[in-house]
Amino acid sequence: MGYSNKQILQKLGLNPEDLDHASCSLLARLYPDAADAVYMVGMVLSLRQREGAIAIPWPGDGASITDLLAAHLAAIKSGLTAKNIRTAFAHLDRVKLIDLVRCGAVVRVDGTVKAVTGDDVAGTAALANSATGTTVSVDAAAASSASGYPRPGDSSTDADGVIILDGGRLYLRRFWRYELDVAAMVNSRSLPEALKSSDGLGDKSSQNVNKHRSESLLESGGRSDDNVLGSVQNGRESTEREPSARDQTDLEQTGQDQAVQAGLTYRFAVITGGPGTGKTHSVLMLLTAMLTRRPDLRIVLCAPTGKAAARMMESIQANLERIRPPQHVRAAIPTAASTIHRLIRWNPARGKSVYDALNPLPYDVVILDEASMVDAALMARLARALRPETRLILLGDKDQLSSVEAGSVFADIASNQAPNVVRLTKSWRFDEHSEIGALARTINAGAGVAAWNLLEQGKAVTIAGPVRATGSAYRTASSDMTSSPPETRVGVGAAAERDAAQKASRGFSKDDSTARGKEALYRRIRDGVEPLFTLLNGQEDHVQALGLLQRFQVLTALRVGPYGSVQINAAMDQQLSNGKEWYAGRPVMATANNYELEIYNGDIGLTRFIDGRLMVAFAGTEPDSVRWIAPAQLKSVSTAWALTVHKSQGSEYDNVLLVLPDKWSPVLSRELAYTALTRSRQVFAVWGTGELWTRMLASQVERFSGLADRLAQIPST
């Protein structure tokens, strides 16, 4: 045929090394009679999974390999057409997908997970036909040998080796396994038989939820999560309000009571809602009810990243001060939250965790915050590490970006219309007068033009560029930033600025080249970074200095390029560092897990002078504590003046500047805009054009998987 499949991909502009060439080649060698076809199907699956999908649709038994390639390769590589692909892979046109089933390279398993009790999870692979509702329970050992189904808890089966066809979806086996494990965990804890527990929480205690809720509310003055309803004052969202007499009724009407009830009734519950809707408050009410019934409960709090765990504890501590639960309840609530990796003690070198199905975690209740950030693999590892009787409560916002790695686990679960999935809708932070709240609702509705109009007219939400006649994208002084909260805004004030912003909404002007646009952007970023840099180096208290990093944050849609976080950070380093890699006041983010140092991907540190030498301060595991790491020990960190929106998940900032590229990118989506906006507590500004903004809000992330279909229909109790 003249070219190998690898060479053909290279000729088409695709790099096979980026698409798991090695593992797909190994897979192909297992089936020499269909090696080319198996290799290419594996490559397509790998490519889609790198984009976040768990599976791809099965186009039908009669479809050819080239049909599959044309449908997927053209969708991801700009400039490729179906005709190009069919011509390049004409030698595979006669190979039908059904041929891969016949030779055993694709194992057909028609089914979804049925609900299994905790005792069944370790010994049974439960499969059910989603279309007919018929159920087949397959012994794990037999399934493992006959159809490639892995024995639950056997991490050695995570390696790729078999392609699975299940329910019209095509998977690499490890991702199929992840999906089944998560579905089995959810279903086994959600159906009525899961209520027959001996933990003392799912029966009489649920009758007392309203009593405990009322007591908590009376003690807290009726105030909820973050204790705020926003209003715009001097270009920022205020963070205080007087409690309303209607608050207790509002709690009943907006889901917090249902959230507590779900957590008491089921061993698995989901609480989803936007910022300030009371997720943390609901969890504390739930824990109060649980601990009143069972003071000896073993509880653990966790989140996907270190900074999300730290943010979780900040929110919990703030709510505890308002709720003031009984002392025995407060004493039982953990004072620190862990990352999931740290919790299960994941060892990447061995591909195993200390805690798994054979050695489960010793906790009665696991609370997982920022669950939308958890990918399928990590959620499956957590699921395997839970005892059958352990309760798992997921908190998150289903409208945010999904995980960086494959899967949209939380969104799939939260889309299930079930009594243990509770949606909080009332924002206690942003009321009907809040610009941030109004923009969030408009973004979620996909109304791009209306959302841009809000930015043009707003004070707390606004347009920062790219074309401005006068003014600064971040007008402030050091004295302003020292106040708490800072009196800052990114705003369109004078008529000249308004005209320039409207010009920006039509796109870049002809004389505004990329170089000029980049220069203007970096000048505006410096206007925000330099006062913060001065403030950081002037703050003697190390804990407070770390907290100051929440004052202002640049977020980017892209990582690379003139409008990406890497180049923006390099420009800020050049401006502030005097030519040195490490300098006092440099914020850094960990880009990989370091298990020896207990520094995890996403953790934020701040470089400080200590006893005449530079050290990096990271938040400690206890409240108001700091851990010091020498710069030489930190091999995988990057400057964090600018972060991608993905990397910012789990954090909140007073002021956010979102930087969009000057041309379309597939990463732009409605979810990205919403996630960036909801990182902001007071001020949100966009650097970009109206054309790009409206197109972004019309684009939604779609990650193909079968998890939502595998979840049982849970009857109300």
Side-chain angles (χ1 to χ4, degrees):
M1 57 188 172
Y3 285 97
S4 69
N5 287 314
K6 179 178 180 181
Q7 289 171 320
I8 293 171
L9 288 169
Q10 290 171 330
K11 188 177 179 181
L12 292 174
L14 294 165
N15 183 3
E17 302 302 335
D18 289 340
L19 308 179
D20 289 342
H21 166 73
S23 60
C24 290
S25 297
L26 177 62
L27 184 62
R29 285 197 292 271
L30 297 174
Y31 304 94
D33 293 340
D36 285 353
V38 171
Y39 174 86
M40 288 309 304
V41 171
M43 290 296 255
V44 168
L45 284 166
S46 171
L47 184 58
R48 283 306 198 187
Q49 280 151 10
R50 284 176 181 245
E51 292 187 321
I54 291 294
I56 61 175
W58 177 256
D61 291 0
S64 68
I65 301 299
T66 52
D67 291 332
L68 187 74
L69 300 181
H72 291 279
L73 295 184
I76 13 179
K77 177 63 178 177
S78 177
L80 273 185
T81 66
K83 183 178 179 180
N84 297 146
I85 295 164
R86 289 184 184 280
T87 300
F89 292 100
H91 60 289
L92 294 177
D93 195 45
R94 289 176 295 179
V95 183
K96 304 299 181 184
L97 288 170
I98 190 62
D99 295 330
L100 300 187
V101 177
R102 288 169 180 154
C103 76
V106 171
V107 176
R108 190 192 292 268
V109 181
D110 291 321
T112 60
V113 174
K114 82 173 180 73
V116 291
T117 64
D119 294 337
D120 295 331
V121 170
T124 300
L127 307 174
N129 185 291
S130 59
T132 64
T134 58
T135 299
V136 182
S137 292
V138 184
D139 177 74
S144 196
S145 60
S147 65
Y149 184 85
R151 186 189 301 271
D154 181 4
S155 60
S156 66
T157 59
D158 282 351
D160 298 332
V162 176
I163 299 172
I164 301 293
L165 172 58
D166 182 357
R169 291 174 287 265
L170 203 60
Y171 301 80
L172 288 174
R173 185 174 70 173
R174 60 175 167 148
F175 288 95
W176 178 69
R177 166 66 189 274
Y178 296 152
E179 189 171 281
L180 288 186
D181 280 358
V182 173
M185 179 273 292
V186 173
N187 288 343
S188 66
R189 286 168 165 76
S190 298
L191 291 184
E193 54 261 35
L195 305 182
K196 300 173 184 177
S197 62
S198 58
D199 63 3
L201 298 177
D203 42 28
K204 296 178 182 178
S205 62
S206 63
Q207 300 170 6
N208 297 324
V209 59
N210 290 329
K211 175 177 179 290
H212 295 304
R213 176 191 57 75
S214 300
E215 291 174 350
S216 296
L217 286 170
L218 287 172
E219 289 181 322
S220 65
R223 302 178 120 180
S224 183
D225 191 29
D226 295 309
N227 197 24
V228 291
L229 278 172
S231 62
V232 177
Q233 295 180 354
N234 299 320
R236 63 179 175 83
E237 300 282 350
S238 71
T239 56
E240 296 293 336
R241 70 160 173 88
E242 291 302 314
S244 165
R246 297 195 307 268
D247 283 352
Q248 184 164 320
T249 302
D250 286 342
L251 287 175
E252 296 170 356
Q253 294 175 347
T254 57
Q256 291 193 31
D257 265 1
Q258 294 93 315
V260 177
Q261 188 72 46
L264 290 172
T265 304
Y266 297 94
R267 290 190 186 137
F268 175 81
V270 171
I271 305 174
T272 179
T277 52
K279 297 184 292 293
T280 303
H281 188 86
S282 298
V283 163
L284 289 176
M285 290 170 62
L286 171 61
L287 292 179
T288 298
M290 286 180 169
L291 288 165
T292 299
R293 179 70 174 174
R294 281 277 313 277
D296 61 338
L297 278 179
R298 294 165 295 181
I299 299 165
V300 68
L301 309 175
C302 62
T305 66
K307 65 176 181 177
R311 172 68 191 130
M312 181 185 193
M313 288 313 305
E314 289 174 11
S315 183
I316 284 177
Q317 292 300 326
N319 275 272
L320 281 173
E321 291 304 315
R322 289 189 288 270
I323 294 174
R324 297 189 297 278
Q327 186 56 40
H328 75 277
V329 170
R330 183 159 190 161
I333 294 175
T335 58
S338 169
T339 65
I340 302 174
H341 288 93
R342 210 162 35 209
L343 177 65
I344 64 175
R345 296 177 63 182
W346 172 248
N347 185 330
R350 299 182 60 199
K352 293 183 178 181
S353 56
V354 171
Y355 293 104
D356 56 19
L358 301 178
N359 180 38
L361 290 162
Y363 299 105
D364 302 304
V365 180
V366 176
I367 310 288
L368 170 58
D369 198 12
E370 295 291 350
S372 65
M373 298 172 63
V374 183
D375 59 81
L378 187 55
M379 189 68 82
R381 291 176 189 131
L382 177 61
R384 295 170 192 169
L386 299 177
R387 296 182 303 154
E389 62 271 23
T390 297
R391 290 173 183 254
L392 176 64
I393 313 296
L394 303 186
L395 310 179
D397 186 345
K398 67 178 181 62
D399 295 316
Q400 284 188 24
L401 283 168
S402 295
S403 56
V404 174
E405 302 299 329
S408 53
V409 178
F410 186 75
D412 288 343
I413 295 173
S415 67
N416 194 22
Q417 299 294 323
N420 59 341
V421 176
V422 179
R423 297 164 183 81
L424 304 181
T425 56
K426 181 181 176 62
S427 176
W428 297 86
R429 187 183 307 172
F430 307 125
D431 71 355
E432 64 272 15
H433 304 297
S434 160
E435 292 181 5
I436 291 178
L439 184 57
R441 293 188 294 272
T442 309
I443 288 173
N444 279 337
V449 174
W452 188 261
N453 288 338
L454 288 174
L455 288 167
E456 285 188 313
Q457 298 163 10
K459 294 181 178 179
V461 298
T462 188
I463 302 163
V467 184
R468 298 293 296 273
T470 59
S472 164
Y474 190 80
R475 293 199 303 272
T476 187
S478 298
S479 59
D480 291 329
M481 296 188 72
T482 308
S483 63
S484 180
E487 290 290 337
T488 60
R489 62 174 286 233
V490 184
V492 178
E497 292 182 284
R498 178 84 67 193
D499 291 342
Q502 291 170 348
K503 181 181 179 183
S505 72
R506 296 190 294 270
F508 290 96
S509 64
K510 291 181 180 179
D511 62 345
D512 185 25
S513 65
T514 300
R516 286 188 61 189
K518 175 182 168 182
E519 180 184 350
L521 169 63
Y522 287 15
R523 185 167 58 248
R524 282 152 177 74
I525 292 174
R526 286 195 297 271
D527 287 343
V529 166
E530 288 176 351
L532 180 58
F533 178 71
T534 301
L535 197 60
L536 289 170
N537 285 323
Q539 174 56 253
E540 295 183 0
D541 187 283
H542 303 304
V543 174
Q544 291 187 28
L546 278 171
L548 289 175
L549 290 174
Q550 298 178 11
R551 289 286 181 90
F552 171 67
Q553 185 64 57
V554 179
L555 300 182
T556 64
L558 304 181
R559 182 175 175 273
V560 296
Y563 299 92
S565 59
V566 171
Q567 199 157 330
I568 290 172
N569 282 322
M572 295 305 105
D573 282 343
Q574 185 178 15
Q575 181 78 16
L576 302 171
S577 68
N578 292 322
K580 299 177 181 178
E581 178 185 7
W582 289 94
Y583 56 92
R586 179 196 182 197
V588 295
M589 170 178 277
T591 57
N593 294 328
N594 187 320
Y595 295 91
E596 291 184 7
L597 296 177
E598 294 191 341
I599 298 296
Y600 297 92
N601 193 351
D603 286 359
I604 294 290
L606 178 63
T607 312
R608 308 275 283 170
F609 263 121
I610 298 293
D611 299 327
R613 61 175 181 151
L614 289 174
M615 296 288 286
V616 184
F618 288 88
T621 55
E622 296 298 321
D624 298 327
S625 66
V626 168
R627 290 185 298 146
W628 295 101
I629 307 292
Q633 294 179 277
L634 297 170
K635 305 299 183 184
S636 299
V637 296
S638 62
T639 302
W641 295 116
L643 302 175
T644 63
V645 176
H646 266 291
K647 286 290 189 181
S648 74
Q649 287 182 273
S651 298
E652 290 183 351
Y653 312 96
D654 293 338
N655 301 270
V656 168
L657 173 60
L658 172 63
V659 177
L660 301 181
D662 60 344
K663 58 185 177 182
W664 178 255
S665 168
V667 306
L668 299 176
S669 68
R670 183 184 305 175
E671 291 84 357
L672 185 138
Y674 175 81
T675 303
L677 171 67
T678 53
R679 300 311 89 208
S680 174
R681 288 187 286 245
Q682 296 173 13
V683 176
F684 175 74
V686 175
W687 178 281
T689 67
E691 179 183 4
L692 206 63
W693 174 265
T694 53
R695 184 177 176 186
M696 178 169 65
L697 264 58
S699 175
Q700 287 188 275
V701 175
E702 294 184 6
R703 291 189 167 186
F704 193 75
S705 80
L707 180 58
D709 290 340
R710 296 184 193 277
L711 300 180
Q713 292 300 309
I714 304 166
S716 300
T717 56

